[in-house]
Amino acid sequence: MKLRPLHDRVIVKRLEQETKTASGIVIPDNAAEKPDQGEILAVGPGRKNDKGETIALNVAVGDRVLFGKYSGQTVKVDGEELLVMKEDDLFAVIEGAASAGLKKVA
């Protein structure tokens, strides 16, 4: 199934954080918090201003972003948990290829 978000919404896939501390201690899954970082899989066309013009979003597919722990609506698509949220719910785009402590969820 393919999702196409409407207006100023985005589809985000959570990125898992490392389960081992710098000193080598393994953190069990039930003690780990939900990650607050993800990768954008799809973006909507943008929102409309008072004049009816579409304002494009500031994020693109493939961007890694920061968001609140409880932001967005969780949906399951083809057995995969995704988040649908408004662009306003995003805090920042993570710049650069090296994102320490992150790995993609398979």
Side-chain angles (χ1 to χ4, degrees):
M1 181 185 322
K2 187 173 182 180
L3 294 178
R4 181 177 53 93
L6 302 175
H7 309 294
D8 62 338
R9 288 185 171 77
V10 296
I11 307 293
V12 177
K13 180 177 181 179
R14 285 186 193 270
L15 296 175
E16 287 191 12
Q17 295 176 337
E18 288 294 327
T19 56
K20 193 185 273 189
T21 65
S23 61
I25 299 172
V26 176
I27 302 169
D29 287 341
N30 59 354
E33 292 184 12
K34 284 186 174 182
D36 53 0
Q37 300 177 25
E39 180 179 356
I40 295 185
L41 300 180
V43 296
R47 64 172 184 244
K48 299 212 183 251
N49 64 12
D50 295 337
K51 298 177 185 176
E53 302 165 339
T54 301
I55 301 170
L57 301 181
N58 291 318
V59 294
V61 173
D63 283 350
R64 290 188 174 195
V65 292
L66 294 176
F67 51 87
K69 290 190 190 302
Y70 304 106
S71 295
Q73 178 67 41
T74 303
V75 294
K76 221 170 204 183
V77 177
D78 296 334
E80 184 174 34
E81 263 192 27
L82 303 174
L83 292 169
V84 179
M85 63 180 72
K86 288 191 166 210
E87 184 186 32
D88 291 345
D89 292 338
L90 301 175
F91 298 151
V93 175
I94 301 170
E95 299 285 338
S99 299
L102 298 179
K103 63 180 179 180
K104 279 190 178 184
V105 177

